């Protein structure tokens, strides 16, 4: 506990607020309960149970000190603040003595467990009994050793002061929030709103759409699991697929995030009926797919609460729709009146009058209060918005605004409606901190298209759903669900089709049929009739090989009429019938040598048409109908000479092949323009980063600089640097160090560049996230650290360091994107891998984790890197998909048919559905098959005449979804 740091400045500011309010209590009725008292006593015993709501005293103590200190008494006197606590707590609280406190602080320190008792409690009691009137929280009951000792001491005291309740004054201290508190409340509100909009509402829509059988309690448990669950190795973290969609939730401390109460789900099948109070529970009954569904979710962040509640109506009547619209309009009217100086009871009276004017028959069903104050306490009864409360609202107070009707009836069944939000009081009006899923179009569901159209007089006109382009450049198909109220799948269709569309597999199959049909049409349009193939136009051409320009060029060694290997001319000169005949090494296929008796035979095989020689089968010839020499054989008794000649020819062949291969590899390497350095100011830099591919020499960290038209990585060695122009950047990735050892900025290039002696398609800048020698305080390695507290502290430092690294690298990647966009005019945004969508596979030789991003499929953690642009993919073929096999393969065929397909092997079969769902979601056509296909000959056939390929059915030969059948 000695490591706890208190915010002395904030303590002084809030303590001064308490003393100033106390001094002017006679003039302010909010503080009238402490107007004529001599002291304020704040008692804290043992901590309350986890299921108990937070007490006002605990909230007051936490607000003042920053932490909860059990078994600690605070007595506010006119001239000083007295604190009764243990020695360990006194050591922590002594930090406050150095603060700019409005009054001096005196500690009454109790003895440690094995030490003789001190006079702390008797002296504290003596001070307490010296007063005539003391204010305390009379309704709070505490337990614990110190409390029992205190109560006994008071009973035995000859003189006791008059005790009054200070709860109304404490509520006023806590009601108006400062900026630090509002920051936590805004985060709690954003968490709650994000959960509703991006998980609860879509999930509820799916349940209704598929008529899924799930209990209220089970759905509530699923909602609660979004912030993580479990302990130890089985612990599951927060669901970032949901939270990443919210605003301002990048740096959330998930350890300080919890639910105020278990989420409440109610429908007309709830056995206990509808209940609008936060103590209601989600029952074990299955959710009804008709009528009204009520959802309430409250979240707490760093002890501060936010709450919202919504009503969803399936097949609403006009009466229900009008009643819900009344709640929405009433909330809007109340927000304009909830301003500084407004009186609680007048707000309630206005709400009641508004309902009476619009729908008199609903007055008796309206809630008895329209909300309450909220902060650390979920429900502050001192600021109840009811008909009897005369308290005034002040700027920066936070309220839980609860509007609703109970006991309503439709088709002989009771129902209720609610609209609940967390609101912040301002000088002129209040604003909703919780947002989303509130309008009629978001909360009304129609199961039948005709019924929805019948509502058109009330609901806004429905627009035809527009298609949205997916990552593959293909528009996603329009779904059957519509907004405004949302039209779920049409119930008037046949039962067979209804059954079909309710399964995820069938939905994928239906979408895939559309994708394959579109792919086929695009293929026919892309390749005109008789064109587009590479067999005649872009294939290998005849290449002439010239060894010598004439007889004068022949080397002198040929005069001996012996076999001679001329490395310089890349030629083998063979004696044939008294003539020295040169053969360029490219005309020679191979050479073989064998011994028979006392002679050695050397056979030279030439390249000729008609040979089934694998890769060389398609070698072109100037005149394939000419007469060719297939091979030539020499005999000699000198076996050693033939050994040497055979080796020379083989080595020359390898050398030439290697040189050609390198030339082919370097064909796409570009020479970049000159980097234009920024002048007049220092460039933006990211220091202490390593680069991959690594530069020559010792591995040392360098720095990246952002210049006018590109990036420069400067090695600490000085002479070595890497320049990357923005015009050559195809993709920019930022990979955080969550669950990784490195934090990475990765640049994927349009055309490769030379780094050292190697060409590179990718350049990566990284820093190691885990560094045991790093220490925030001294930047030196710590030694001799033992114990749980030190381990916890090191873990916290590690977590903090990772957060700082993520923030630093993400900010720099965004600056790179801004500079690139400004330089080229083309929008470039840093792409972040979705780890939750990742799957394992073998794209090269080792098993790695492949992670989708918005535009790509990537592996960035280790070289060799993999970056596949989704828009370049023509189709994905899933192979070895069989029952009983633990793994399957995926082959990605590119739109550029000249590129070899990418094979990703050994993907676990447990991830098959995840891979299919992902491919379908980014509009990539897919197929399935039980065996591996030989893609070399297949792509050769396609490339010879792509138009003919699509004319004959295109990718339908793959079967599965490609043939229009249902995806298995």
């Amino acid at each position: 506990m000695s490591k706890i740091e208190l915010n002395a400045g904030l303590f002084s500011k809030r303590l001064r607020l308490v003393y100033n309010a106390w001094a002017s209590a006679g003039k302010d009725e909010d503080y009238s309960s402490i107007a004529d008292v001599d002291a304020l006593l704040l008692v804290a015993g043992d901590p309350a149970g986890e299921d108990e709501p937070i007490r006002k005293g605990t909230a007051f103590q936490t607000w003042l000190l920053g932490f909860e200190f059990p078994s600690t008494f605070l007595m506010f006197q006119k001239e000083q603040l007295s604190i009764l606590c243990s020695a360990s707590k006194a050591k922590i609280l002594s930090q406050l003595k150095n603060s700019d406190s409005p009054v001096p602080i005196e500690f009454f320190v109790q003895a440690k467990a094995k030490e003789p008792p001190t006079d702390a409690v008797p002296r504290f009691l003596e001070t307490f009994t010296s007063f005539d009137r003391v204010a305390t929280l009379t309704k709070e009951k505490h337990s614990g050793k110190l409390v029992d000792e205190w109560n006994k001491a008071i009973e035995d005291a000859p003189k006791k002061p008059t005790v009054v309740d200070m709860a109304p004054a404490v509520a006023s201290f806590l009601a108006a929030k400062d900026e630090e508190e509002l920051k936590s409340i805004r985060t709690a509100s954003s968490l709650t709103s994000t959960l509703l909009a991006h998980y609860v509402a879509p999930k509820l829509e799916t349940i209704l759409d598929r008529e899924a059988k799930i209990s209220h309690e089970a759905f509530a448990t699923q909602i609660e699991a979004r912030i993580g669950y479990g302990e130890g190795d089985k612990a599951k973290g927060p669901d970032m697929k949901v939270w990443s969609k919210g605003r301002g939730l990048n740096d959330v401390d998930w350890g300080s995030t919890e639910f105020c109460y278990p989420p409440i789900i109610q429908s007309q099948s709830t056995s206990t009926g509808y209940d609008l109070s936060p103590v209601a529970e989600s029952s074990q009954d299955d959710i009804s797919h008709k009528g009204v569904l009520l959802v309430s979710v409250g979240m707490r962040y760093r002890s501060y609460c936010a709450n919202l509640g919504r009503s969803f109506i399936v097949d609403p009547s006009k009466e229900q729709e009008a009643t819900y619209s009344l709640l929405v309009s009433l909330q809007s009217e109340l927000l304009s009146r909830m301003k500084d100086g407004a009186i609680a009871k007048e707000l309630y009276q206005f709400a009641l009058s508004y309902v009476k004017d619009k729908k008199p028959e609903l007055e008796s069903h309206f809630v008895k209060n329209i909300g309450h104050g909220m902060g650390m306490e979920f429900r502050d009864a001192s600021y109840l918005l009811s008909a009897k409360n005369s308290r005034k609202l002040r700027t920066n107070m936070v309220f839980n605004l609860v509007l609703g009707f109970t006991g309503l009836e439709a088709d002989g069944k009771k129902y209720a409606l609610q609209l609940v939000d967390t609101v912040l009081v301002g000088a002129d009006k209040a604003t909703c901190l919780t947002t989303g899923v509130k309008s009629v179009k978001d909360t009304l569901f129609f199961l039948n298209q005709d019924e929805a159209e019948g509502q058109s007089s009330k609901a806004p006109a429905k627009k035809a759903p527009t298609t949205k382009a997916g990552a593959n450049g293909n528009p996603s198909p329009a779904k059957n669900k519509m907004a405004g109220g949302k039209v779920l799948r049409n119930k008037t269709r046949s039962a067979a089709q209804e059954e079909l569309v309710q399964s995820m597999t069938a939905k994928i199959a239906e979408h895939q049929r559309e994708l394959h049909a579109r792919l086929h049409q695009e293929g026919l349009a892309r390749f005109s009739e008789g064109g587009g193939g590479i067999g005649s136009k872009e294939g290998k051409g005849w290449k002439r090989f010239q060894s010598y320009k004439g007889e004068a060029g022949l080397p002198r060694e040929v005069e001996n009429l012996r076999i001679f290997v001329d490395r310089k001319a890349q030629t083998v000169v063979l004696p044939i019938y008294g003539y020295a005949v040169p053969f360029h090494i490219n005309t020679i296929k191979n050479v073989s040598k064998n011994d028979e008796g006392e002679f050695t035979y050397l056979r030279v095989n030439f390249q000729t048409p008609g040979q089934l020689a694998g890769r060389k089968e398609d070698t072109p010839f100037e005149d394939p109908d000419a007469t060719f020499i297939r091979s030539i054989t020499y005999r000699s008794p000198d076996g050693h000479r033939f050994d040497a000649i055979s080796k020379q020819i083989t080595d020359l062949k390898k050398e030439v092949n290697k040189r050609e291969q390198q030339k082919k590899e370097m064909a796409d390497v570009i020479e970049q323009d000159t980097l234009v350095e920024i002048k007049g100011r220092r460039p933006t830099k990211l220091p202490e980063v390593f680069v991959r591919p690594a530069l020559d020499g010792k591995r040392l960290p360098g720095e990246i600089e952002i210049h006018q038209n590109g990036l420069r990585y400067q090695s600490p060695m000085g002479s070595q640097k890497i320049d990357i122009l923005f015009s050559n950047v195809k993709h920019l990735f930022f990979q955080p160090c969550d669950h990784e050892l490195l934090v990475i900025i990765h640049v994927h290039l349009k055309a490769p560049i030379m780094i050292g002696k190697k060409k590179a398609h990718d350049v990566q800048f990284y820093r190691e996230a885990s560094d045991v020698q790093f220490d925030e305080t001294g930047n030196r390695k710590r030694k001799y650290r033992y114990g749980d507290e030190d381990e916890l502290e090191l873990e916290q430092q590690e977590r903090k360091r990772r957060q700082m690294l993520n923030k630093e690298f993400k900010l720099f990647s965004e600056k790179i994107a801004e500079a690139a966009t400004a330089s080229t005019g083309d929008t470039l945004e840093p792409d972040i891998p979705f780890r939750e969508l990742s799957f394992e596979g073998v794209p090269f030789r080792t098993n790695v984790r492949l992670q989708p991003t918005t535009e790509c499929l990537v592996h960035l953690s280790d070289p060799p890197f993999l970056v596949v642009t989704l828009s370049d993919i023509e189709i994905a073929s899933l192979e070895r998909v069989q029952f009983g096999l633990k793994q399957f393969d995926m082959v990605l065929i590119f739109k550029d048919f000249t590129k070899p397909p990418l094979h990703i092997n050994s993907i676990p079969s447990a991830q098959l559905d995840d891979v299919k769902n992902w491919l379908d979601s980014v509009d990539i056509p897919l197929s399935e098959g039980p065996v591996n296909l030989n893609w070399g000959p297949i792509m050769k056939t396609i490339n010879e005449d792509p138009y003919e390929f699509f004319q004959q059915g295109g990718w339908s030969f793959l079967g599965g979804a490609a043939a229009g059948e249902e995806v298995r």
Side-chain angles (χ1 to χ4, degrees), residues 550-620:
E551 285 187 34
L554 288 166
R556 293 177 63 182
E557 288 82 354
V558 302
E559 294 175 3
N560 301 328
L561 289 179
R562 301 177 76 191
I563 299 174
F564 177 67
V565 179
D566 187 352
R567 295 181 67 84
K568 187 176 180 182
Q570 298 180 5
T571 297
V572 179
V573 183
L574 302 177
I576 301 177
Y577 296 117
Y579 292 94
V581 183
F583 290 88
H584 194 278
I585 192 67
N586 284 337
T587 64
I588 296 173
K589 182 183 174 187
N590 56 33
V591 61
S592 64
K593 179 187 73 69
N594 63 306
D595 299 318
E596 289 184 15
E598 58 188 33
F599 292 103
T600 300
Y601 292 84
L602 184 73
R603 177 185 174 113
V604 180
N605 298 311
F606 297 100
Q607 302 279 10
T608 57
Q611 296 183 68
L612 296 175
R615 294 181 182 179
K616 296 294 180 182
E617 185 184 348
D618 57 350
T619 302

Side-chain angles (χ1 to χ4, degrees), residues 26-42:
K27 302 172 187 176
D28 190 338
E29 61 180 287
D30 285 348
Y31 302 103
S32 58
S33 60
I34 59 171
D36 55 351
V37 299
D38 304 311
L40 313 177
L41 178 64
L42 181 62

Side-chain angles (χ1 to χ4, degrees), residues 681-692:
R681 67 175 177 86
R682 290 184 177 180
T684 306
K685 296 182 180 181
L686 182 64
E688 295 293 317
V689 292
F690 296 95
V691 66
R692 291 195 288 206

Side-chain angles (χ1 to χ4, degrees), residues 266-442:
Q266 301 176 76
S267 71
Q268 69 180 26
S269 60
T270 301
S271 54
T272 54
Y274 292 98
D275 183 356
L276 301 189
S277 72
V279 297
E281 294 182 354
S282 302
S283 71
Q284 294 181 355
D285 310 297
D286 287 339
I287 293 175
S288 173
H289 303 124
K290 291 185 178 180
V292 176
L293 294 100
L294 301 184
V295 175
S296 298
V297 181
M299 297 195 74
R300 181 181 282 118
Y301 183 70
R302 288 182 176 161
S303 301
Y304 286 90
C305 303
N307 187 50
L308 60 73
R310 294 290 184 264
S311 303
F312 297 91
I313 315 175
V314 182
D315 281 342
S317 64
K318 290 183 179 180
E319 181 66 26
Q320 288 174 323
E321 192 174 342
T323 305
Y324 182 76
S325 298
L326 176 64
L327 286 178
V328 176
S329 60
L330 173 58
Q331 188 192 69
S332 179
E333 290 292 331
L334 278 170
L335 289 175
S336 64
R337 284 170 168 74
M338 290 181 71
K339 55 188 177 183
D340 190 73
I343 299 172
K345 64 181 180 183
E346 291 180 1
L347 290 170
Y348 181 80
Q349 290 299 340
F350 167 78
L352 198 62
S353 302
Y354 187 88
V355 172
K356 190 175 181 180
D357 291 343
K358 301 289 183 183
K359 281 185 161 298
E361 69 276 13
L362 294 177
E363 182 185 2
S364 60
H365 298 282
F366 193 56
V367 288
K368 302 308 177 191
N369 65 73
I370 57 170
H372 47 78
M374 191 160 62
M376 284 194 213
E377 282 185 285
F378 179 81
R379 184 178 187 271
D380 186 351
S382 301
Y383 281 93
L384 202 63
L385 299 177
S386 64
K388 296 179 181 179
N389 194 351
S390 56
R391 287 237 173 184
K392 289 183 179 178
L393 276 61
R394 301 294 181 198
T395 303
N396 287 346
M397 286 186 178
V398 175
F399 282 85
N400 185 33
L401 183 59
V402 181
L403 305 178
F405 298 104
T406 58
L408 301 173
E409 194 168 327
D411 300 328
K413 293 187 177 180
K414 297 277 186 181
Y415 72 93
L417 291 176
Q418 68 174 10
L419 180 59
V420 183
D421 273 304
T422 303
V423 301
L424 173 65
V425 177
D428 302 316
K429 63 174 184 177
T431 53
C432 278
L433 298 179
T434 48
T435 56
V437 196
K438 188 187 300 184
S439 63
V440 170
K441 72 181 182 67
D442 292 325

Side-chain angles (χ1 to χ4, degrees), residues 12 68 96 198 304 554 665 693 720 829 858 893 933:
S12 300
E68 180 184 350
L96 303 177
H198 298 292
Y304 286 90
L554 288 166
E665 281 183 8
Q720 293 183 310
E829 292 182 356
V858 301
I893 298 93
L933 300 177

Side-chain angles (χ1 to χ4, degrees), residues 33-272:
S33 60
I34 59 171
D36 55 351
V37 299
D38 304 311
L40 313 177
L41 178 64
L42 181 62
V43 174
D46 289 347
E50 286 187 7
D51 297 334
E52 293 182 33
I54 190 168
R55 294 168 173 162
K56 193 180 293 294
T58 306
F60 185 31
Q61 190 196 73
T62 307
W63 172 79
L64 189 64
L65 303 176
F67 294 90
E68 180 184 350
F69 287 86
S71 300
T72 302
F73 289 13
L74 276 70
M75 187 153 56
F76 303 81
Q77 300 147 250
K78 296 287 187 182
E79 304 301 329
Q80 75 172 34
L81 171 63
S82 300
I83 302 178
L84 172 64
C85 60
S86 66
S88 58
K89 295 188 183 76
K91 187 177 178 183
I92 299 167
L93 292 168
S94 62
Q95 299 173 47
L96 303 177
K97 279 198 166 185
N98 302 325
S99 66
D100 182 24
S101 173
V103 293
I105 303 172
E106 183 184 358
F107 289 96
F108 294 74
V109 183
Q110 292 176 281
K112 293 182 179 179
K114 295 181 180 180
E115 293 180 2
T118 64
D119 61 348
V121 174
R123 285 195 301 117
F124 195 81
L125 179 66
E126 185 182 342
T127 306
F128 174 73
T129 54
S130 66
F131 300 117
D132 295 326
R133 285 173 65 86
V134 176
T136 188
L137 296 169
T138 56
K139 295 179 182 177
E140 290 191 3
K141 303 298 178 189
H142 298 271
S143 61
K145 183 180 176 183
L146 178 60
V147 173
D148 294 342
E149 188 180 348
W150 175 255
N151 290 336
K152 187 175 185 306
I154 290 178
E155 280 180 22
D156 298 340
K159 177 180 177 286
K160 299 171 190 173
T162 304
V163 177
V164 296
D165 189 14
M166 66 174 182
V170 172
S172 299
F173 292 144
L174 303 176
K177 310 295 187 286
D178 58 31
E179 200 51 47
E180 198 67 30
E181 293 175 285
L182 288 176
K183 188 177 177 183
S184 296
I185 292 174
R186 286 193 177 99
T187 303
S189 300
S190 181
L191 286 165
T192 314
S193 303
T194 302
L195 185 63
L196 174 75
H198 298 292
Y199 183 78
V200 178
K203 182 83 173 177
L204 186 61
E205 187 177 332
T206 305
I207 291 169
L208 296 173
D209 187 15
R210 300 180 184 169
E211 294 189 353
K213 188 176 180 182
I214 182 172
S215 70
H216 302 89
E217 187 181 47
F219 185 28
T221 303
Q222 290 178 7
I223 296 170
E224 213 166 356
R226 293 314 100 196
I227 62 170
Y229 57 89
E231 294 180 359
D233 296 337
K234 296 183 179 179
K236 187 169 174 111
D239 185 356
M240 296 313 297
K241 283 191 285 187
V242 175
W243 303 118
S244 60
K245 297 172 184 174
R247 288 187 179 180
L249 301 182
N250 297 330
D251 302 321
V252 168
D253 177 7
W254 293 104
S256 302
T257 306
E258 60 182 336
F259 282 87
C260 298
Y261 54 85
I264 302 170
I265 312 296
Q266 301 176 76
S267 71
Q268 69 180 26
S269 60
T270 301
S271 54
T272 54

Side-chain angles (χ1 to χ4, degrees), residues 666 668-676 709-713 721-730 747-756 758-763 765 823-824:
M666 298 301 171
D668 56 349
V669 174
I670 63 163
E671 182 126 3
Q672 297 186 114
D673 293 336
T674 308
L675 185 80
V676 180
N709 66 335
L711 301 173
R712 169 168 288 170
Y713 176 80
K721 63 184 180 185
I722 300 172
D723 290 347
I724 303 170
L725 296 192
F726 292 139
S727 57
N728 193 31
V729 175
K730 186 174 183 180
V747 180
H748 182 65
L749 305 175
K750 293 176 183 175
I753 61 173
M754 292 299 295
I755 297 179
K758 296 180 180 178
K759 76 169 185 176
H761 275 281
D762 299 89
V763 183
F765 309 104
S823 173
T824 62

